[in-house]
């Protein structure tokens, strides 16, 4: 990597692209790139478990003085309340040791986020400053051994005792054990515990209670049994642990009571009457964690691509037929096909992620306040988290293989990138469950058909009862509409020739999948229907519809970002990258397009040929395109590039 | 897993299936399953690097007294020379710590195999006993930092010095460094070094020379610089290292001279005149290593599926609409689709692997001696190695995700299964290069068209000049022909309804891809053609043809194994599993089938529906099907199953 940096930073096209990709929070990105104290450290795998954990804690503590953490605090407590800056800063950390990214995400995003979003002013004042400066390390105790995706069914109870005006936190069975809790094994002193709130003998559903778990010296408090999850596949710097509560008493005020509180007379009240709706509203406010995971996964995929593309541009193998020169591996079509469509998708998803963060920030700041927008944000966050983390797993794997044996050596980064990101497809929502949540949102257009499903089948979807459709165009609405309307022909050979036609093709796929899904699920409302069987028979259809939705939203974000970019070669190159994203997405789903009469057989073959052609056209720009990711060389130093430099 | 074992071993259907899957070497499999001293140990990840390496060495040394290692020695040296037993025994070890599998594979398969296949009697007598009892730990030094797949271009030289009648081994540049060499970092005393053999100033191409690298005390010998690759993604018990030679002298007799030797007068001679053909013949004899890697990868995938399916059969999440019971996750279609087609493919590939080992054994024992069979074995070994290792990476990943957060914990095995097998797609031949080798073999039917390509483009294929086609039916020839001929209709709706029609569909796909590939590549022979461009433009087509070939060979092996199985419910169940393999393979490639007029749109949708239907039909047999893999419970104990048992 060395030696190349001067050239890369001089590449004006890469610089134009970087500015587009940096988006609204460019300044915090640039600030962090230039800040040598910023802990975008490569993981140090020589460390033992406890050393790794201590180093991770130290690096996270070091963040407390930065803009990133100031952004997590409200203005009333001396912060900037700029959630976009907070998420973007964490994303940048995602280029380094992902244990730091996750540990920081747990402290500032999940633990801090629970207090900020579920608590009231008194909780904010009392706990957020310590949360931010790490004098109060916390954890987020939601998942239990027996219930992960199905949070509504967790078993831990928080029972109000009117005699003492306390809440009694209790784990009634081994399945109720809080599990995989980041921070629990070693550092956390205060836990945000999700539990069934029982007041006056009545269960009001899942609420969050702050429960001290360790004293200042680090010893478990009475009634709290703490376990260590021990060795994991990756994220070795994060101290995941287990918590069991045996009738642990905390003051009533420890209930984070924004959406449901107990008054001094021991009476429960909530601004939201429906238990179901209250539950999903509370969970909805925690969307930031999910957005952050997608951000980090995208960063990790871009790190991997940067390393693999640069290696592929220097590594040679086998001679040309002339027998004199060896072929640069990036010149092989198979190698281009491994890396370039994934690079294009990485750009697409990064821009979609940027648009998501803008929406999150607009809602968080109160700029947007309507309920439908909040629902759309949640659905989009779920969908993008699922697709970006899946993409990261797939891309890092492909990049490792593209670097052969060198890719297997720890110093070349794929070992930690792979192992650390592997659980991203699971935590903050299992991807399958999240895609179901997206599909549920898409179906709300057909809501009147689903009264029965909503009551009998809602939990199966792991989703809330939503009140509006999320399929509406939310990014660049008028631009996209203009492009689609201006497309010359929508069903001929030319459907994919211009951007408007491409947008129409993506939208048509989503609509058709949604409509036909609705028709199938409608049967669940029949009196004699086995609604589980109806849902289950359509589950693969449902997941495909959700994917089509995310594809469409992603393309719209890509098109909007290009539209807003200044004219120039950087924008022109992004236009080609967008083409590759479009054609490789259609190629991956081309069976569907032919089966449903959207492409003829020969058009479908033409799509494959076009992907090959675009790979060839982008090949000369591969170095520029990874430079455009804007990852400082120092964050990605690898041994294999140094090896090549010595030949 | 506990508690279930009694039931499982009683399952007579699983027992029937196990017997089919065990195949010809059932007895050694059963012997090893019952042998408590057999080192199918789970990896111990608490160990430090050196402890892990020592434990691995100890376990491999412990194998020396077993049938497995006796099988690697010829009868003349007290062994049984049963290569099938040797490969099968190593496959069984692949259910445990894969460091032991790889370290044993390096010692007995690669190091021992080089001596056995490239050496002559005097080498056998002198070195094989120490190889087998580990008193002579060795390594296999082929790959260099600058050349991995392209072995013909390695830079290390072995130059005959007529003055002293010695060979001088030398690394002329950093790129010539031997890299990733298992055993080199710590244990190996003797290296089988591949180098350009220069005699009388003439380069005779790559040959193998035995070079002592360490003394008895373990110190590097003069002129040998040894490096340690250090931390890797996985296989931490294998001491991969680097070797640099500075004019190291060894006696002329250290040349493994079966295919090219130097006489006392310092004259080089070889039974094979063509340098190219000699090179590929030598490499061809080393096919056992590649066969073994496929075996181990298949075993690891079956371990992962066994764990994930059993977990999926006990784990529940979300309630049925009745609100009373929770849904067993294996009842979700999405979960079935994650696991069951991969389970079906695992059966298919295991049976294809068995057939491959039988062929290897037949050639090794001299039962089959013709050159075309040897070429076919090499092509099949390359193809199956590529597809099985790719399948293992994909399957272990899917299984990890299917177990959620529990799957991320080291004790639940996916951490080591994933990390250890990850490099299997790279070592013993990069998968892309191996599939090219398969395609080259398929094209030899068109050999007359490729005179030009053979001379100008052969190296690009990383393949030998072969003399016959490998597309001929090699497994169950007459049975398959009978089934295809008896198929009622081959182009209507019914093409996939019976086994004969399915076989015809697989064969037709391979033939069409091969024919059209040949037409494209023919242009490389034109005088004005850029033969690299012609090859490169067709590279994705070429790889697809190779995959179609492996699919066809795999299906034929599956069908033959079922045909040979005794009638009964086990065989009937395997028949259904075979159907799922067929339909999910067609589903994955259905765009091609429609594009080429083999399936109509509605038939294609029917294939998708049939996969869903078969998943539902096999769901009740999932426990039987993983029990049929025949992996003793003790080899797969996991913490998460113990957790579930406590609820």
């Amino acid at each position: 990597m060395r030696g190349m940096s001067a050239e890369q930073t001089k590449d004006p096209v890469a610089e134009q692209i970087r500015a587009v990709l940096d988006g609204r929070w460019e300044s915090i990105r640039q600030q962090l790139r230039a800040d040598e104290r910023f802990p975008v450290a490569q993981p140090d795998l020589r460390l033992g478990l406890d050393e790794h954990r201590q180093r991770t804690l130290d690096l996270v503590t070091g963040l407390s003085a930065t803009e990133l953490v100031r952004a997590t605090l409200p203005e009333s407590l001396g912060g900037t309340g700029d959630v976009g800056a907070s998420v973007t800063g964490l994303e940048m950390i995602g280029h380094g040791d992902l244990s730091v990214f996750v540990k920081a995400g747990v402290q500032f995003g999940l633990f801090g986020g629970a207090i900020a979003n579920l608590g009231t002013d008194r909780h904010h004042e009392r706990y957020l400053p310590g949360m931010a400066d790490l004098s109060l390390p916390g954890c987020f105790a939601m998942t239990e051994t027996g219930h992960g995706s199905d949070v509504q069914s967790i078993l831990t109870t928080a029972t109000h005792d009117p005699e003492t005006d306390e809440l009694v936190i209790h784990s009634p069975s081994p399945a109720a054990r809080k599990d995989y809790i980041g921070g629990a094994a070693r550092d956390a002193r205060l836990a945000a515990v999700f539990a069934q709130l029982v007041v006056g003998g009545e269960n009001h559903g899942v609420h969050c209670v702050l429960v001290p778990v360790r004293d200042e010296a680090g010893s478990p408090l009475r009634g709290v049994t703490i376990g260590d999850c021990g060795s994991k596949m990756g994220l070795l710097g994060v101290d995941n642990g287990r918590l069991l509560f045996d009738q642990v008493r905390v003051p009533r005020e420890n209930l984070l009571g924004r959406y449901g509180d107990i008054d001094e007379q021991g009476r429960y009240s909530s601004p939201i009457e429906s238990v179901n709706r209250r539950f999903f509203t509370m969970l909805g406010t925690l969307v930031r964690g999910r957005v952050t995971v997608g951000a980090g996964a995208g960063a990790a995929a871009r790190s991997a691509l940067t390393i693999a593309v640069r290696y592929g541009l220097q590594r040679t193998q086998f001679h040309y037929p002339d027998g004199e020169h060896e072929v640069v591996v990036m010149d092989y079509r198979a190698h281009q096909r491994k890396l370039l469509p994934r690079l294009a998708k990485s750009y697409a998803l990064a821009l979609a992620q940027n648009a998501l963060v803008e929406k999150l920030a607009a809602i968080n700041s109160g700029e947007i306040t309507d309920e439908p927008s909040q629902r759309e944000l949640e659905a989009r966050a779920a969908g993008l988290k699922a697709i970006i983390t899946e993409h990261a797993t797939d891309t890092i794997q492909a990049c490792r293989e593209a670097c052969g044996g060198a890719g297997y050596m720890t110093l070349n980064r794929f070992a930690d990138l792979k192992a650390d990101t592997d659980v991203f497809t699971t935590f903050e929502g299992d991807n399958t469950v999240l895609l179901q949540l997206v599909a549920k949102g898409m179906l709300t257009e057909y809501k009147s058909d689903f009264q029965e499903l909503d009551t009998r089948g809602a939990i199966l979807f792991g989703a809330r009862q939503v009140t509006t459709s999320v399929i509406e165009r939310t990014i660049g609405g008028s631009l996209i509409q203009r492009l689609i309307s201006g497309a010359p022909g929508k069903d001929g050979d030319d459907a994919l020739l211009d951007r408007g036609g491409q947008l129409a093709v993506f939208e048509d796929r989503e609509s058709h999948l949604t409509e036909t899904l609705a028709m199938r699920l409608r049967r669940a409302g029949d009196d004699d229907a086995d609604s589980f069987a109806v849902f289950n028979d359509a589950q693969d259809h449902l997941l495909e519809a959700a994917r089509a939705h995310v594809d469409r939203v992603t393309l719209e974000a890509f098109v909007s970002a290009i539209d807003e970019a200044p004219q120039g070669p950087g924008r022109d190159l992004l236009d080609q990258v967008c083409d590759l994203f479009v054609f490789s997405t259609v190629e991956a789903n081309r069976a569907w397009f032919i089966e449903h009469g959207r492409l003829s057989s020969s058009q479908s073959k033409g799509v494959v040929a076009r992907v090959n052609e675009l790979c060839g056209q982008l090949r000369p720009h591969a170095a520029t395109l990874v430079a455009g990711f804007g990852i400082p060389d120092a964050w990605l130093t690898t041994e294999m590039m140094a090896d090549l430099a010595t030949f």
Side-chain angles (χ1 to χ4, degrees), chain A residues 37-81:
Chain A
R37 297 158 312 163
F38 192 66
V40 184
Q42 300 200 23
D44 184 346
L45 293 160
R46 296 161 306 181
L47 299 176
L49 193 64
D50 199 64
E51 290 170 307
H52 200 150
R53 288 172 171 182
Q54 183 61 47
R55 174 177 183 260
T56 305
L57 178 63
D58 292 344
L59 288 168
V60 173
T61 305
L63 289 173
S64 59
T66 65
E67 195 58 27
L68 187 163
V69 173
R70 279 188 63 224
T72 68
L73 284 176
E75 291 179 42
S76 60
L77 293 170
T80 63

Side-chain angles (χ1 to χ4, degrees), chain A residues 580-597:
Chain A
L580 180 55
F581 169 67
V582 167
F583 280 92
S584 54
T585 302
V586 173
E587 183 188 48
N589 296 294
R590 68 192 204 277
W592 186 91
F593 284 105
I594 320 176
E595 283 165 2
H596 294 82

Side-chain angles (χ1 to χ4, degrees), chain A residues 198-212:
Chain A
V198 180
V199 184
E202 190 185 344
N203 184 349
H204 295 281
V206 175
H207 287 65
C208 187
V209 184
L210 294 176
V211 184

Side-chain angles (χ1 to χ4, degrees), chain A residues 351-637:
Chain A
L351 293 166
Q353 173 73 23
N354 283 356
L356 178 69
V357 174
E358 288 187 27
K359 178 77 171 269
L360 172 69
I363 286 180
N364 209 64
S365 69
E367 188 189 320
I368 298 177
T369 54
D370 63 305
E371 174 92 2
S373 285
Q374 170 70 25
R375 298 293 84 79
E376 192 276 332
L377 171 70
E378 290 163 25
R380 184 138 53 103
L384 275 174
K385 184 273 182 187
I387 299 302
I388 297 178
T389 57
E390 175 184 276
H391 171 70
T393 299
D394 167 68
T395 296
I396 297 167
Q397 182 68 37
C399 289
R400 198 298 289 160
E401 294 179 15
C403 294
Y408 199 60
M409 300 299 121
T410 301
L411 284 170
N412 295 328
R413 290 296 312 274
F414 298 109
D416 68 90
L417 287 170
K418 254 183 67 120
D420 288 349
T421 59
D422 196 74
V423 79
F424 283 33
T425 55
T426 296
F427 68 14
E428 281 293 315
D430 173 89
N431 280 359
T432 302
V433 176
L434 292 182
L435 289 174
Q436 287 177 193
L437 197 148
V438 173
K440 185 77 196 303
M442 294 161 66
L443 285 169
T444 50
E445 263 197 291
Y446 305 89
K447 189 169 187 299
S448 58
D449 298 323
F450 289 107
Q451 292 302 343
E452 193 65 13
L453 187 71
D454 269 345
T455 48
R456 290 173 58 193
I459 298 166
L460 286 168
F461 289 106
R464 67 166 64 233
Q465 299 194 30
V466 282
T467 53
T468 186
S469 166
V470 294
I471 203 171
E472 286 160 22
R473 201 166 288 115
T474 51
I475 311 168
S478 62
L479 163 74
I480 306 296
Q481 196 53 54
R482 182 161 43 78
L483 286 171
I484 290 181
S485 306
K490 285 182 195 167
D491 44 38
D493 270 9
D494 308 324
L496 290 166
L497 278 188
D498 68 290
R499 201 65 84 210
Q502 294 168 355
L503 288 159
V505 163
F506 275 51
E507 183 167 284
D508 169 55
R509 174 159 193 255
E510 177 188 4
S511 302
H512 185 86
L513 279 163
T514 311
E515 283 164 25
T516 48
L517 176 64
M519 290 195 309
R520 291 177 69 171
L521 292 181
R522 198 167 281 149
R523 284 184 289 129
D526 297 351
D527 281 340
D528 59 347
D530 173 349
S531 63
F532 175 74
V534 171
F535 155 74
N536 207 33
D537 278 349
Q539 195 184 17
D540 51 336
H541 184 159
L542 185 144
L543 296 172
E544 198 177 359
R547 289 174 182 281
H549 173 75
V550 178
D551 285 343
R552 193 260 298 167
V553 168
T554 302
L555 177 59
E556 290 178 359
F558 206 155
V559 172
S560 299
I562 292 173
D563 183 67
E564 287 164 20
Q567 297 284 350
R571 176 175 157 155
D572 295 344
L573 192 51
L574 278 178
D575 231 6
Q576 276 188 287
V577 173
C578 186
D579 270 340
L580 180 55
F581 169 67
V582 167
F583 280 92
S584 54
T585 302
V586 173
E587 183 188 48
N589 296 294
R590 68 192 204 277
W592 186 91
F593 284 105
I594 320 176
E595 283 165 2
H596 294 82
R598 266 63 179 178
L599 286 181
S600 69
S601 292
S602 68
Q603 285 172 328
S604 177
K605 290 183 191 174
V607 167
V608 178
R610 185 80 181 115
V611 171
N612 285 334
E613 193 179 25
L614 284 163
C615 283
Q617 286 168 7
L618 287 172
R619 157 70 185 84
H621 305 286
T624 297
L625 287 168
V626 294
F629 286 151
I631 310 170
D633 291 352
W635 297 359
L636 291 177
T637 310

